[in-house]
Structures are given as structure tokens and as C-alpha cells.
Amino acid sequence: MDASTDHHAAIARLHDDLADYARRWPDEAHVVAHFVELLHDLESAPFARERLAGHFTGSAWLVDRSGARVLLTHHRKLGRWLQLGGHADGDVELGRVALKEAEEESGLGGLRLEPGLFDLDRHWLPERGDVPAHWHYDVRFVVRAGEDEAFVVSEESLDLAWRDVRELLADPATDESVERMSRKWLIRDGA
């Protein structure tokens, strides 16, 4: 397959994954509609951070081997505890983006990406420096830790911490989207 065929196949898979997500989470249909609309606007380079109207990002719900804890970053720029993730920078394989960001931001090796979309979140980022305010269309995937869970804090984070998913639900300071992912994880994990 050439690069163009790979690109089109990845776009088709993302479209199918969005449709599957809408079936699994019908109460989020309005969110999915925003993602599908951006995906269909391929002429505007929706996978590039230079698209200042908004662009795709990829994030990892990075869980430990037991599935009871998730690794969160105290995000340096946003000052909040969030999942690991970042810009696609032109990569249409958002699962690969999420896995790469998890590896880079945690220093962990042996991570495994699980198939399918875990969560979607469209959020507004405030203006910072010469970058105007814009939308992030964050596509989130489950990533499983391997044997080694000793993380290394990167320069993108103020800190990292393994947090018990159940405790996140009970903590009023938990970010709204992290709380939603915690609920989804417990439903999915059968807890």
C-alpha cells in the first residue's frame, strides 16, 4: 500500500470507529457529530496543529496492569490533572498518537494500545502567547501499562501520579472529562 492508500484507510477506520462510538454512547451523539464534521473537512488539514479553528489530538487512558489505577499528568500549561496526550501533528492514526504521547510523557516502555475509541472530548483551549484560542478534538484510547510502572516526569508535566479510578469519582477536584472516563472505565471493566 502506498502512503495515500494508508491515509485513506486510516480516515475510513476513524469514521467507522466514530460510528461505533455513537452506537455505544448514544447520549454523546452531539459530540460525535462535531468529530465527524471535522473529519469530513480534510481540505483544511484537521490533523495539523496549525489549523487554528480546531484540530484532532490523541490521548491515552493509561491504566495499570490491574485496571484499578490510571496515570495522570499535572499538566504544566493547563495546571490540571489530566490524561496523557498531545497533538497529532499530521498523523491520521490517532491511536498511534495516543500511544506515542503516553510513552514520551511517562517514560514507560511496554505499553499496549487497545483497539477502539474509549472517549471523545471537544474542549476549548484559551489563547496562550501567539497561539489564539481554539478547539481540541481529543480522541482517547485505552493504553495498558506493562510490567514496569515506574514513570519519569517529562518537561510537559509538573508531576505524574497513579490514581485509583474509584477515588477519582469521589474527588470533587477531578476534571469533568477525567470523571466521565472514570465512569466509563468502571462500566467497561464491570466494576
Side-chain angles (χ1 to χ4, degrees), residues 149-168:
E149 294 180 358
F151 56 77
V152 176
V153 179
S154 77
E155 63 185 40
E156 294 194 29
S157 301
L158 295 170
D159 199 3
L160 294 174
W162 286 106
R163 297 286 310 274
D164 182 276
V165 176
R166 289 183 183 281
E167 289 175 10
L168 286 170

Side-chain angles (χ1 to χ4, degrees), residues 104-159:
E104 289 176 358
E105 293 180 20
S106 72
L108 294 173
L111 301 180
R112 286 182 302 112
L113 176 72
E114 291 191 359
L117 306 184
F118 176 61
D119 187 60
L120 298 174
D121 192 73
R122 179 177 175 254
H123 52 269
W124 186 250
L125 287 181
E127 178 180 351
R128 193 169 35 257
D130 60 348
V131 179
H134 61 279
W135 289 104
H136 273 186
Y137 293 75
D138 198 29
V139 180
R140 295 154 175 196
F141 297 84
V142 172
V143 174
R144 292 255 184 195
E147 292 297 315
D148 183 14
E149 294 180 358
F151 56 77
V152 176
V153 179
S154 77
E155 63 185 40
E156 294 194 29
S157 301
L158 295 170
D159 199 3

Side-chain angles (χ1 to χ4, degrees), residues 95-108:
R96 180 171 53 211
V97 171
L99 182 61
K100 177 180 73 89
E101 293 290 335
E103 291 168 342
E104 289 176 358
E105 293 180 20
S106 72
L108 294 173

